[in-house]
Amino acid sequence: MTKTKRDWIDLASKDLKGRPVESLDTHTPEGITVKPLYTSEDLPEGVAAELPGFAPFTRGVRSTMYAGQPWTIRQYAGFSTAEESNAFYRRNLAAGQKGLSVAFDLATHRGYDSDHPRVTGDVGKAGVAIDSVEDMKILFDGIPLGEMSVSMTMNGAIIPVLAMFIVAGEEQGVARADLTGTVQNDILKEFMVRNTYIYPPEPSMRIVADIIEFTAAEMPRFNSISISGYHMQEAGATLAQELAYTLADGMEYVRAAQAKGLDVDKFAGRLSFFFCIGMNVFMEAAKLRAARAMWSKIMTDFGAKSERSKMLRTHCQTSGVSLTEQDPYNNIVRTAFEAMAAVLGGTQSLHTNSFDEAIALPTEFSARIARNTQLILAHETGITQVVDPLGGSYYVEKLTADLMEKAWELIDEVEALGGMTKAVEQGLPKMRIEEAAARRQARIDRGEDVIVGVNRFRLADEPQVDILDIDTAKVRAGQVARLNKMRDSRDSKAYLATIAALEQVAATGQGNLLAAAIDAARARASLGEISDAMERGFGGRHHAVTKVISGVYDEVYREDPEYKAIRARIADYTAEKGRAPHVLVAKMGQDGHDRGAKVIATAFADMGFKVDLTDMFETPEEVAIKAVTLGVDVVGVSSLAAGHKSLVPDLIARLRDKGGEGIEVVVGGVIPEQDYAFLREAGVAEIFGPGSNVLDSANAVLARISGVLRNV
């Protein structure tokens, strides 16, 4: 007898043993139920009528998508000096890269010149050092800014960086109206996750609005903001959180621009977005589809009439958190799958991470593999031949709808607080993301989330990978020399007049900050001097309050035998000594990534340690004073951006100077194995690389505190 469609559905709804398939349902961190079988009955209403290039743009912002033109291949890069970065850019452009994406060093992000005493370990780390127009001109030497699209990942120091870029263009003979590219200019997410802020939220939002206003009038080919969810997912956010908080940020920026009197259709078409792409291939593709549909509705509600205003155009970057130090060549495969997910989701441009970025900055060899991953995807897989190949997939269409539902709930929560600026001030998004990060780490430690080569299928012997090492002292010396030369040769009268004018604009709110900063940059004011003038006008820098959340790790691990055992050992130590083992978790230098520090602080506190957190951006001197004053047993340094070789030995020396010889120092984060011997020689007691199990780390720290491993 011929089977009907219902017969086939009924047959497929049972596994080989006749059990209902519903028993095989899984649940994502977003709270979405994933069934093992999807049918046409799962398709949301109206999906069949949607087409690419038409609102709500779920299937893509252009009707032909990659069949007409592939995505733009970008590689986010900056290497210590402007000269080295320029040479790298030229080589990549010759090898097939189509646009530039500039990574700045940590000192630049935080608005400090290279000669500032707070950045001795940060100059040239994680990107290129830019102190002045002179550096910017070298960075783009021989690269025609009138023809090349340039993306700049900058938020806190966006005013001096964009001003210097515009002046560099002028001095190359390119009018500002002819410059093309994008600046990130997304300060709200900095207060949530990445922390490279400079000023408090309110004046920071004014900076965003002034840039939107200036570029709308003066730079018609330039995208004034790239609203970024990338660092949210990297900090541990679920995909629903990344989607919701990114769009909620976008809503706040639109309100800020409208408050300046700008018509939405005059600027909305040049807003762009930036999403992270992790390992859940179909969920990531669904996220981009959901983002476009949601943004179309949001902009319609804001009164947009132009279809371009309703289009969400996005850059994507493969995940850095998914990269592992262990068995690192697996990262090539991970990045390829993530790149495919971004393309299936309809990204407009893409950066692929290098396989060694969980260990150190990428080498030229690893960067070439990352770039070629995109070239192979574009030219060899056939993926560009069909527009939205996942359109109509029962599974992906249902995921898209489910993600939208979860994201709308989170947006409603933010809106109920008065919008994202108010939510950020109250710490809501940051707390939600930190909770999600702690749960994610607990699932990995328990083996519930499998990471090949880390918590399953481990290699007995790990291969050593060649790494890029930056000599910070050498880079800093060169930058300081160029700064001094510029300051000696500039017109002091013009410099002082433009800096005073900029400070006045910041203090009064009258005038445009970017316009004033362009005048100052042209007069050869440095990045730090421009930032300082605005700081004086705004009344100071922003200082975040650090908190240790509790209960999240305990909730996941409560019945785990190993977890119970470490809690019992800590309780015994506390009973014996009359106090709990005391750990200070420290962030030094200008690296704002605090996911690892917050996860460790949360987990250790739940286990029974007494845990204190330093403020962000501490110097070794400040951490040493805090450690000695608190009387801690251990300082745990969280490092991500390669500053450990200078900052950690300095910390150990200062602890000794202040009578803290008995305080052990342990280090965790992105630390190449090649640096382990150096750190141990400097006096580091324990080193925990990427992927370290939190329970194992806690046992090692407790052993150090109790004296079992002291001086080993």
Side-chain angles (χ1 to χ4, degrees):
M1 185 175 69
T2 303
K3 284 184 166 32
T4 65
K5 178 180 177 184
R6 171 50 54 190
D7 292 329
W8 280 113
I9 291 173
D10 289 342
L11 181 65
S13 68
K14 294 185 171 52
D15 69 7
L16 293 176
K17 295 182 180 179
R19 296 172 302 193
V21 169
E22 284 77 4
S23 66
L24 303 178
D25 287 353
T26 56
H27 302 278
T28 74
E30 295 76 18
I32 293 171
T33 299
V34 177
K35 304 185 298 182
L37 173 68
Y38 288 82
T39 71
S40 60
E41 294 180 4
D42 293 297
L43 285 176
E45 187 177 347
V47 161
E50 291 185 356
L51 288 171
F54 296 89
F57 306 106
T58 314
R59 301 195 64 188
V61 294
R62 294 199 315 269
S63 59
T64 56
M65 286 302 289
Y66 309 139
Q69 178 182 331
W71 63 94
T72 300
I73 298 174
R74 294 187 185 274
Q75 287 302 98
Y76 175 57
F79 292 92
S80 63
T81 66
E83 291 90 345
E84 288 190 33
S85 298
N86 175 263
F88 180 82
Y89 294 156
R90 288 197 193 193
R91 289 193 296 271
N92 271 19
L93 291 171
Q97 186 174 313
K98 298 300 183 185
L100 295 180
S101 191
V102 182
F104 297 94
D105 77 347
L106 297 170
T108 304
H109 272 289
R110 292 271 293 145
Y112 293 116
D113 286 333
S114 295
D115 59 356
H116 197 285
R118 297 195 74 88
V119 299
T120 53
D122 295 306
V123 177
K125 295 290 189 183
V128 60
I130 297 293
D131 292 317
S132 72
V133 170
E134 300 304 323
D135 290 330
M136 195 69 81
K137 287 169 68 176
I138 293 169
L139 185 66
F140 296 112
D141 181 43
I143 298 171
L145 293 179
E147 302 171 17
M148 182 60 58
S149 172
V150 177
S151 173
M152 292 183 286
T153 301
M154 177 54 63
N155 300 284
I158 182 59
I159 287 285
V161 165
L162 182 53
M164 289 169 184
F165 175 72
I166 291 168
V167 173
E170 287 177 3
E171 297 187 7
Q172 204 185 80
V174 180
R176 64 185 63 160
D178 294 327
L179 294 171
T180 61
T182 304
V183 284
Q184 195 162 99
N185 191 28
D186 176 8
I187 200 61
L188 286 173
K189 72 97 169 48
E190 298 295 327
F191 294 110
M192 282 185 258
V193 287
R194 192 166 177 245
N195 300 307
T196 58
Y197 44 71
I198 300 176
Y199 315 107
E202 290 292 343
S204 294
M205 285 299 293
R206 186 182 152 208
I207 289 172
V208 172
D210 276 14
I211 290 172
I212 293 174
E213 178 186 52
F214 183 92
T215 54
E218 303 281 343
M219 303 172 71
R221 302 176 63 197
F222 207 82
N223 297 320
S224 55
I225 190 167
S226 176
I227 304 154
S228 174
Y230 183 86
H231 298 97
M232 297 181 199
Q233 187 179 145
E234 293 291 273
T238 67
L239 269 62
Q241 289 172 340
E242 180 192 7
L243 176 58
Y245 295 151
T246 304
L247 297 184
D249 282 352
M251 294 164 67
E252 199 77 342
Y253 296 137
V254 171
R255 291 187 183 113
Q258 288 182 320
K260 299 279 290 184
L262 295 177
D263 179 83
V264 67
D265 285 321
K266 295 294 184 183
F267 66 85
R270 284 179 290 113
L271 303 179
S272 66
F273 288 78
F274 175 27
F275 285 102
C276 182
I277 302 296
M279 283 298 292
N280 192 332
V281 171
F282 296 109
M283 185 78 84
E284 291 288 2
K287 179 184 72 183
L288 298 186
R289 304 172 94 254
R292 287 192 292 271
M294 292 176 71
W295 188 246
S296 178
K297 181 183 186 310
I298 287 167
M299 294 309 295
T300 300
D301 291 345
F302 271 116
K305 301 293 190 295
S306 165
E307 291 299 286
R308 182 170 171 78
S309 297
K310 302 174 187 178
M311 294 179 185
L312 182 146
R313 293 157 300 111
T314 189
H315 171 71
C316 290
Q317 180 174 339
T318 60
S319 173
V321 167
S322 70
L323 304 178
T324 65
E325 178 192 39
Q326 298 86 355
D327 207 356
Y329 293 107
N330 288 339
N331 295 333
I332 298 172
V333 182
R334 292 186 177 102
T335 295
F337 283 133
E338 290 169 349
M340 181 181 69
V343 171
L344 289 174
T347 189
Q348 276 61 67
S349 67
L350 179 62
H351 164 87
T352 34
N353 285 333
S354 300
F355 73 86
D356 52 357
E357 289 187 52
I359 305 167
L361 295 171
T363 63
E364 191 143 343
F365 170 72
S366 65
R368 177 175 174 271
I369 292 174
R371 184 189 65 249
N372 286 352
T373 299
Q374 292 198 55
L375 292 173
I376 291 166
L377 192 60
H379 295 288
E380 296 187 27
T381 64
I383 208 165
T384 60
Q385 294 171 1
V386 176
V387 178
D388 187 28
L390 294 183
S393 160
Y394 304 145
Y395 175 41
V396 172
E397 297 289 5
K398 184 64 165 64
L399 273 185
T400 302
D402 288 345
L403 264 175
M404 284 196 280
E405 181 181 348
K406 296 294 181 183
W408 284 126
E409 291 172 5
L410 292 169
I411 289 174
D412 289 343
E413 182 181 43
V414 167
E415 290 293 285
L417 295 177
M420 191 52 103
T421 303
K422 298 296 183 186
V424 163
E425 289 174 345
Q426 295 179 42
L428 174 74
K430 190 174 185 68
M431 180 186 69
R432 292 270 187 265
I433 291 170
E434 287 174 4
E435 290 172 349
R439 288 192 177 92
R440 162 74 169 159
Q441 186 60 48
R443 291 196 307 273
I444 292 171
D445 288 347
R446 286 173 57 84
E448 294 169 7
D449 290 0
V450 175
I451 311 294
V452 174
V454 176
N455 61 4
R456 191 88 64 87
F457 314 112
R458 291 273 320 240
L459 286 177
D461 296 305
E462 294 285 350
Q464 192 167 94
V465 176
D466 290 335
I467 64 168
L468 179 67
D469 190 28
I470 302 296
D471 185 343
T472 301
K474 181 180 178 182
V475 174
R476 188 168 188 259
Q479 290 297 122
V480 170
R482 189 147 60 215
L483 261 173
N484 290 337
K485 181 180 178 182
M486 182 198 74
R487 286 171 178 154
D488 290 342
S489 62
R490 71 189 174 192
D491 182 334
S492 296
K493 186 176 179 180
Y495 156 71
L496 291 171
T498 56
I499 281 292
L502 174 61
E503 184 177 340
Q504 183 73 2
V505 172
T508 64
Q510 302 299 310
N512 187 283
L513 290 162
L514 180 56
I518 291 169
D519 291 338
R522 194 181 292 117
R524 287 331 191 241
S526 70
L527 175 132
E529 290 163 345
I530 292 173
S531 297
D532 288 349
M534 293 169 62
E535 183 180 335
R536 292 190 298 271
F538 292 146
R541 278 186 172 244
H542 176 70
H543 296 281
V545 177
T546 55
K547 298 177 183 177
V548 179
I549 60 174
S550 62
V552 175
Y553 212 84
D554 187 68
E555 178 186 323
V556 177
Y557 254 96
R558 189 169 298 148
E559 301 305 318
D560 184 90
E562 289 187 35
Y563 182 71
K564 288 181 178 179
I566 182 67
R567 280 183 57 86
R569 284 193 288 275
I570 292 170
D572 290 344
Y573 178 94
T574 303
E576 179 187 341
K577 302 291 185 181
R579 63 173 184 85
H582 194 174
V583 177
L584 176 65
V585 178
K587 286 292 296 182
M588 295 190 295
Q590 300 306 306
D591 169 35
H593 296 84
D594 63 349
R595 174 181 179 270
K598 291 292 182 67
V599 166
I600 289 296
T602 297
F604 275 43
D606 283 357
M607 292 176 208
F609 287 93
K610 181 179 180 182
V611 178
D612 282 291
L613 265 173
T614 69
D615 291 334
M616 297 293 295
F617 315 119
E618 297 274 67
T619 64
E621 173 80 4
E622 290 164 341
V623 173
I625 290 171
K626 191 164 291 185
V628 172
T629 302
L630 291 171
V632 304
D633 299 300
V634 167
V635 177
V637 177
S638 174
S639 177
L640 180 99
H644 52 268
K645 289 180 74 173
S646 56
L647 295 170
V648 173
D650 192 7
L651 169 64
I652 292 170
R654 291 173 188 272
L655 282 170
R656 289 173 183 153
D657 291 344
K658 299 179 190 315
E661 299 92 341
I663 297 174
E664 299 269 20
V665 174
V666 302
V667 183
V670 179
I671 303 165
E673 193 172 347
Q674 290 92 322
D675 292 349
Y676 283 17
F678 172 87
L679 291 174
R680 289 187 177 116
E681 178 122 0
V684 172
E686 298 282 351
I687 302 169
F688 307 109
S692 295
N693 183 284
V694 173
L695 287 180
D696 292 344
S697 303
N699 277 311
V701 170
L702 182 62
R704 287 282 174 182
I705 293 173
S706 61
V708 175
L709 292 176
R710 193 172 292 278
N711 299 321
V712 173

